[in-house]
Amino acid sequence: MQLTDYINFVVALALVLALILGLAWIVKRFGLGGAMTRGLPAGSARRLAVLEVLTLDARRKMVLVKRDERQHLLLLGANNDLVIESDEIEGTSAKAQETEA
């Protein structure tokens, strides 16, 4: 093989990689992945969010998770997971609104 064959190979490889990266960026930028990548049906709102993560040591983390109108404090470990606390968010629950009315 000659040097030009190697150069052609490297240029073609760089072009293919650039096309793959460009297509991935377009899909991510414009959200063209659809519901499969998000895990949600079209038009629905997210119900779950990770609000904060605190690493305690190499094996354990404290995670504050919001689900609907509730917050859950979780201790995630290597062998087990614990719910430390679970509270409703003040001012947003239906029960709190009914008692105020």
Side-chain angles (χ1 to χ4, degrees):
M1 293 185 99
Q2 296 178 352
L3 181 61
T4 57
D5 292 335
Y6 288 115
I7 293 173
N8 285 341
F9 171 76
V10 170
V11 169
L13 179 63
L15 181 64
V16 168
L17 290 176
L19 287 172
I20 291 172
L21 291 174
L23 183 61
W25 178 81
I26 288 171
V27 167
K28 184 177 180 181
R29 172 74 170 98
F30 295 108
L32 300 176
M36 259 182 11
T37 59
R38 293 187 193 108
L40 295 173
S44 64
R46 290 194 180 275
R47 297 178 53 211
L48 186 65
V50 176
L51 300 178
E52 194 170 338
V53 177
L54 175 65
T55 302
L56 300 175
D57 57 30
R59 292 179 155 185
R60 297 179 298 164
K61 292 181 182 180
M62 294 288 287
V63 180
L64 183 61
V65 177
K66 178 184 171 197
R67 179 194 51 90
D68 294 332
E69 309 302 328
R70 299 183 64 87
Q71 288 185 350
H72 305 281
L73 183 61
L74 309 173
L75 175 63
L76 304 179
N79 297 329
N80 59 352
D81 304 328
L82 297 171
V83 177
I84 304 297
E85 186 177 5
S86 183
D87 287 332
E88 284 193 25
I89 300 173
E90 293 181 20
T92 59
S93 71
K95 291 179 186 176
Q97 291 173 359
E98 289 175 2
T99 57
E100 291 174 0

